[in-house]
Amino acid sequence: MRSVTGVQTPILLTNLETVPGRAIRVHYGLVSGSTVRAKHIGRDIMAGLKNIVGGELKGYTELLNEARNEAVGRMVAHAASLGANAVVNIRFSTSSVASGASELFAYGTAVTVE
Amino acid sequence: MTVEDIIGVLFVLLFFISPVIVFLTTWWISAEMEKNHYRSIHAREQKFDRLPVVPTRSSDSRRRIVESRLVTGSVVISGGPLKRLTARFRMIIGGPIRGYEILLDRARREAILRMKESFPEADMILNLRLETSTIVRSQGREGMAAVEVVASGTAVRYAPVA
């Protein structure tokens, strides 16, 4: 929720159906945020090298983390625009839409808790 | 035997031996990496012993929850060509592909640990969800598939016991 001063009050995020210890007052329905990210060529080369021995591809982990944060950010912005102060029942999904590009999707239910 | 013959024989030997050397080196490196990773996983799991993670939606505790927040942890992991090769052989006769099983086990445990590390002050993590998705490389079918594992849950903190 963005106040007049522009200070953003934090929106509570949870993947439970309710915010523990707080009652839900208003229900705004589904909010979602998504982003499609392509891999960066430098990271791709490094990941390609790393792929020879296998193991974690740190560049991709970071890339997808950034993307997921952005998707969550968009979802939160959507919730804030409705006047909610919490998003409950959040789910994530990752899917590869094209070779080399992934969609990160976050969705949940926007609510107001007391 | 002339000098040219000896050089020729050496080249032929090198031609056949070098792939074996590359194969053995990659095998050794990935085995060492796996060992190191498991060592780090065990150490960190012990460190976070007091922070339980459960897939249930609520805790039975009667203690009041003062704080809750969404926590996530993710990891992208790839098997590399060696595991792919052994998996191909496995696919002829069927049965469990041990290499991939181990790889996914590492990825899941690492993702859960990262989730815990993102909020170490938590008392409990509820509603754990683990999602696995394949990130396809640009080479398509021939490329090595990397797998992303995302762990998410709600971390809660209880009110201190009076």
Side-chain angles (χ1 to χ4, degrees):
Chain A
M1 213 185 303
R2 208 171 272 277
S3 69
V4 188
T5 49
V7 181
Q8 202 168 352
T9 54
I11 287 203
L12 271 162
L13 302 175
T14 174
N15 67 352
L16 296 168
E17 279 95 66
T18 55
V19 178
R22 305 240 213 139
I24 290 173
R25 285 283 166 260
V26 194
H27 193 281
Y28 300 97
L30 183 76
V31 286
S32 61
S34 85
T35 176
V36 179
R37 282 289 176 103
K39 294 178 307 194
H40 177 284
I41 202 116
R43 273 180 172 151
D44 210 22
I45 291 164
M46 278 312 293
L49 290 177
K50 190 67 205 296
N51 221 340
I52 295 168
V53 285
E56 187 185 355
L57 310 175
K58 287 218 170 65
Y60 287 174
T61 305
E62 280 165 28
L63 186 83
L64 290 174
N65 258 339
E66 282 164 25
R68 190 167 305 105
N69 287 341
E70 193 177 322
V72 170
R74 287 179 182 175
M75 180 184 74
V76 165
H78 187 183
S81 72
L82 297 171
N85 68 359
V87 182
V88 296
N89 225 339
I90 294 170
R91 296 284 179 270
F92 294 108
S93 101
T94 312
S95 46
S96 36
V97 282
S99 56
S102 292
E103 189 207 26
L104 283 291
F105 186 54
Y107 55 105
T109 308
V111 293
T112 292
V113 291
E114 55 190 22
Chain B
M1 248 181 3
T2 62
V3 181
E4 281 87 1
D5 281 342
I6 294 166
I7 291 171
V9 167
L10 282 177
F11 264 106
V12 170
L13 277 179
L14 201 65
F15 184 80
F16 286 108
I17 288 170
S18 53
V20 177
I21 293 171
V22 170
F23 184 85
L24 289 176
T25 326
T26 23
W27 187 285
W28 181 74
I29 292 173
S30 49
E32 279 303 302
M33 275 170 37
E34 191 169 287
K35 234 188 276 170
N36 281 338
H37 191 203
Y38 265 121
R39 218 172 285 150
S40 124
I41 286 175
H42 286 310
R44 284 144 72 211
E45 275 178 353
Q46 244 157 37
K47 197 179 129 204
F48 280 106
D49 225 10
R50 47 143 217 100
L51 173 55
V53 179
V54 291
T56 49
R57 286 170 186 159
S58 61
S59 68
D60 293 328
S61 172
R62 298 220 182 86
R63 290 167 71 185
R64 199 165 57 85
I65 290 167
V66 287
E67 192 184 349
S68 70
R69 77 161 75 148
L70 185 75
V71 284
T72 57
S74 75
V75 58
V76 177
I77 203 163
S78 125
L82 280 185
K83 284 201 166 147
R84 207 159 42 104
L85 191 73
T86 44
R88 286 256 169 94
F89 280 122
R90 239 320 177 197
M91 281 161 196
I92 301 168
I93 49 168
I97 303 172
R98 198 74 191 113
Y100 282 170
E101 286 176 358
I102 292 169
L103 194 74
L104 286 165
D105 175 61
R106 277 165 69 191
R108 289 211 179 94
R109 286 162 81 173
E110 180 69 39
I112 291 173
L113 280 168
R114 284 184 187 175
M115 179 179 74
K116 288 182 173 183
E117 279 161 357
S118 74
F119 189 34
E121 306 85 39
D123 289 317
M124 198 170 196
I125 296 178
L126 303 170
N127 206 11
L128 169 75
R129 291 283 177 272
L130 280 165
E131 203 210 331
T132 315
S133 51
T134 317
I135 316 289
V136 184
R137 298 281 323 273
S138 46
Q139 292 94 323
R141 260 176 58 102
E142 287 305 304
M144 282 147 258
V147 166
E148 191 206 22
V149 175
V150 187
S152 59
T154 301
V156 294
R157 251 174 8 96
Y158 295 121
V161 187

